[in-house]
Amino acid sequence: MTTIYHFFFVPMTIGIGLAVAIMETMYVITKKEVYKTMTKFWGKVFLLAFAVGVVTGIIQEFQFGMNWSNYSRFMGDIFGAPLAIEALVAFFLESTFIGVWMFTWDRFKPVWHMVFIWLTNAGSILSAIWILTANSFMQHPVAFEINQETGHARLRSFKDLISNPQLWVEFPHVLSAAVCTGAFVVMGCSAWSLLRMHIKNKKDVAAVEADGEQTAKVSLFTKSLRVGAVIGLVGACFAILFGDYQGKFIVYDQPMKLAAIEGIYEDTGDPAPWQLVALMNEKDHKTESSVDVPGAGSKLYYGKDSGKVKGMNTVNKELHEKYDAKFGKDMNYYLPTTVLFWVFRLMVGIGFGFALVSILVLWFTRKKKNTMWKSRWKLWIMGILTFAPFLATTSGWMITEMGRYPWIVYGYQTIADAVSPTSTSGKVLFSCIIYFLLFLLMGSVMIFYTRRVLHQGPFYEQDNGDKPSKIAASTERKVALA
């Protein structure tokens, strides 16, 4: 729960921050005021996501000490190094320049102010690299040795730790997903704002277009849709590309995870088929029925027309042969196949959907014929898609973490061995309830303030700071937006 909730805000912060940086860069290049207004407006949503993300991250660190003390002792020497660098370098860079960026509008030349938001983004991305360095060690342990006296893992080579191949297949995919998240939040919120204008004006589009101030808002949110669509299309293409690359990596590195997300219990033939949909019997470890695409599996897993895939039953036997002496014969190496199978298809489906929707938004908002603004059903769909990237990133995170079962550090420490020895089920339940209530509170605060920012609109500060010259300001906006 803690990990998933925190992960709502990590890709959102990186993605919206990148969108804001691109908008400010467009302002610096084109000198058009509309891009400056867009930067300031979406910058408020970015700051909210950053603030809530930091708090949820702190709560997560509390849980390491409370519920995972054995895990912290076992790999604290390795987990601590990237986390310390993340806090001292990446987070310091990010938090310093986000403050400088926030309070120095009109105090620096535009190009220097743009540099501040890019440095903030660089801090966010560096932060993700160091966090994923720690996570990659849990998936694919490298660069360590076991201290025979303490039984704890000790870092042997920092260079090998950051060159972990798992890190460099995981990070590009996560970053691409973050780019998509930011883009679809911008597009979805723009759609909600346009839809609200329909409702406030009782569906009278002509009345909106006759009002200069409202026309300026329509123009700004339409431009936000287009900028978001371009970013979303690029992000979706890279997410698909790097996701495919990551899938080919786990064929060899974590064969049980691959077999589970594809619902393969028995070894496939050569070439391997791909199961589009399947009904699994987890109790008897077999696939009841499936719809297969012949030969597509080999293409997906190996990038060629041949090659068979080990099923979970075969991999389970191999894992018992390898680990029974250390972990015992009673270990269960089977994964929650039904969940992994469907969340994988949900993630992939949303990824391809992002690319398609981005292209459609660019088409519907083209300059010659903008049909997006006048079509409420398109705005409804786009508004609902605000939540789609969170489904996709949560699905991806579930595949990453649940696919490692039963280990918390692959092949070296089980989840059961990692929990705090003093934790009881009652204490864990109590702490989870407290965390849930905290997350509910923070989520409510995030939704409340984001909704308020959207309702206030992009010209709120100008309107409240210069009420007597409101008409003149509106005229200036129309000129700037034109």
Side-chain angles (χ1 to χ4, degrees):
M1 177 181 68
T2 310
T3 304
I4 288 175
Y5 190 82
H6 177 58
F7 201 62
F8 284 165
F9 297 97
V10 174
M12 184 177 172
T13 305
I14 294 174
I16 297 182
L18 186 66
V20 170
I22 290 171
M23 289 171 187
E24 186 162 5
T25 304
M26 293 172 76
Y27 164 63
V28 170
I29 293 171
T30 65
K31 310 296 183 193
K32 291 183 177 178
E33 284 292 318
V34 63
Y35 292 118
K36 183 178 181 181
T37 308
M38 284 167 62
T39 305
K40 286 187 173 182
F41 179 68
W42 294 112
K44 293 176 188 174
V45 181
F46 166 58
L47 293 173
L48 284 169
F50 175 81
V52 178
V54 169
V55 177
T56 56
I58 292 171
I59 291 175
Q60 193 175 11
E61 292 191 9
F62 272 119
Q63 266 200 324
F64 281 130
M66 288 178 65
N67 297 335
W68 302 101
S69 60
N70 275 348
Y71 162 76
S72 301
R73 291 189 192 94
F74 176 69
M75 66 166 288
D77 289 355
I78 297 168
F79 206 72
L83 285 189
I85 297 172
E86 190 268 337
L88 294 173
V89 179
F91 184 68
F92 182 79
L93 179 70
E94 183 183 17
S95 54
T96 299
F97 281 100
I98 199 172
V100 175
W101 179 80
M102 189 166 50
F103 294 113
T104 59
W105 280 102
D106 302 323
R107 295 190 181 186
F108 287 92
K109 288 183 178 179
V111 67
W112 283 112
H113 196 267
M114 177 195 71
V115 170
F116 298 150
I117 189 66
W118 279 110
L119 286 172
T120 304
N121 271 280
S124 301
I125 294 170
L126 280 173
S127 187
I129 288 177
W130 291 117
I131 296 297
L132 291 177
T133 299
N135 183 264
S136 295
F137 178 86
M138 297 160 71
Q139 304 285 341
H140 182 86
V142 295
F144 77 105
E145 58 191 9
I146 300 294
N147 186 322
Q148 297 302 325
E149 294 181 6
T150 62
H152 300 165
R154 185 167 59 189
L155 185 63
R156 180 174 45 79
S157 167
F158 187 75
K159 179 184 173 186
D160 291 344
L161 182 69
I162 59 174
S163 59
N164 187 341
Q166 168 68 28
L167 170 64
W168 298 109
V169 297
E170 189 175 343
F171 168 69
H173 187 53
V174 172
L175 182 61
S176 306
V179 171
C180 286
T181 303
F184 272 77
V185 168
V186 169
M187 282 195 284
C189 291
S190 298
W192 285 125
S193 299
L194 291 172
L195 197 59
R196 186 167 177 268
M197 293 174 74
H198 277 269
I199 296 168
K200 279 186 70 178
N201 291 279
K202 299 179 180 176
K203 306 174 187 176
D204 189 351
V205 175
V208 175
E209 292 178 341
D211 184 316
E213 188 171 347
Q214 296 204 69
T215 304
K217 287 182 182 177
V218 171
S219 178
L220 185 140
F221 286 122
T222 303
K223 284 182 184 294
S224 296
L225 275 167
R226 288 187 66 80
V227 171
V230 172
I231 298 171
L233 180 59
V234 173
C237 290
F238 278 111
I240 293 166
L241 176 68
F242 291 124
D244 178 63
Y245 186 48
Q246 191 172 7
K248 289 179 171 61
F249 178 79
I250 66 169
V251 172
Y252 303 101
D253 193 55
Q254 295 182 2
M256 182 62 91
K257 180 187 286 185
L258 178 88
I261 63 176
E262 296 296 1
I264 302 169
Y265 277 103
E266 301 296 339
D267 296 354
T268 68
D270 189 357
W274 179 64
Q275 298 186 147
L276 180 63
V277 293
L279 182 63
M280 271 76 67
N281 183 337
E282 292 190 41
K283 186 179 178 183
D284 296 330
H285 306 307
K286 64 180 183 181
T287 304
E288 297 285 0
S289 60
S290 63
V291 176
D292 298 345
V293 182
S298 296
K299 202 75 177 174
L300 285 171
Y301 313 137
Y302 302 108
K304 56 184 183 181
D305 296 329
S306 61
K308 58 183 181 179
V309 179
K310 291 179 185 175
M312 282 180 274
N313 294 333
T314 299
V315 178
N316 182 57
K317 288 177 185 174
E318 292 178 352
L319 290 172
H320 273 290
E321 289 171 4
K322 187 174 181 180
Y323 293 112
D324 274 1
K326 185 176 180 181
F327 294 102
K329 296 181 180 178
D330 296 332
M331 286 289 289
N332 176 20
Y333 294 107
Y334 285 100
L335 300 175
T337 310
T338 304
V339 173
L340 291 175
F341 181 86
W342 288 111
V343 294
F344 176 70
R345 275 145 187 78
L346 178 66
M347 178 188 70
V348 173
I350 292 175
F352 278 97
F354 280 166
L356 178 63
V357 170
S358 299
I359 292 170
L360 289 175
V361 169
L362 287 172
W363 176 254
F364 290 140
T365 57
R366 64 194 187 279
K367 201 169 184 178
K368 291 182 179 177
K369 193 175 182 181
N370 179 2
T371 60
M372 191 85 185
W373 146 243
K374 295 179 182 176
S375 177
R376 280 182 291 134
W377 69 268
K378 290 173 189 169
L379 295 175
W380 268 112
I381 292 174
M382 195 64 246
I384 292 169
L385 286 178
T386 308
F387 308 102
F390 300 102
L391 275 177
T393 53
T394 300
S395 299
W397 202 235
M398 287 174 71
I399 293 165
T400 301
E401 299 301 279
M402 293 175 72
R404 196 181 52 217
Y405 182 86
W407 291 294
I408 195 163
V409 179
Y410 202 93
Y412 287 92
Q413 188 180 41
T414 65
I415 293 171
D417 291 335
V419 298
S420 301
T422 55
S423 291
T424 63
S425 56
K427 290 178 181 177
V428 172
L429 178 63
F430 178 75
S431 66
C432 284
I433 292 172
I434 296 297
Y435 288 134
F436 174 77
L437 293 175
L438 281 172
F439 292 150
L440 190 65
L441 175 65
M442 284 186 287
S444 302
V445 169
M446 176 75 195
I447 292 170
F448 173 80
Y449 280 106
T450 303
R451 184 173 175 272
R452 195 166 83 165
V453 167
L454 294 176
H455 283 193
Q456 287 172 344
F459 304 114
Y460 175 76
E461 290 177 0
Q462 295 99 308
D463 289 344
N464 282 272
D466 191 16
K467 285 183 179 176
S469 59
K470 193 172 180 178
I471 296 174
S474 298
T475 306
E476 287 176 7
R477 277 180 222 130
K478 282 188 281 183
V479 172
L481 290 170

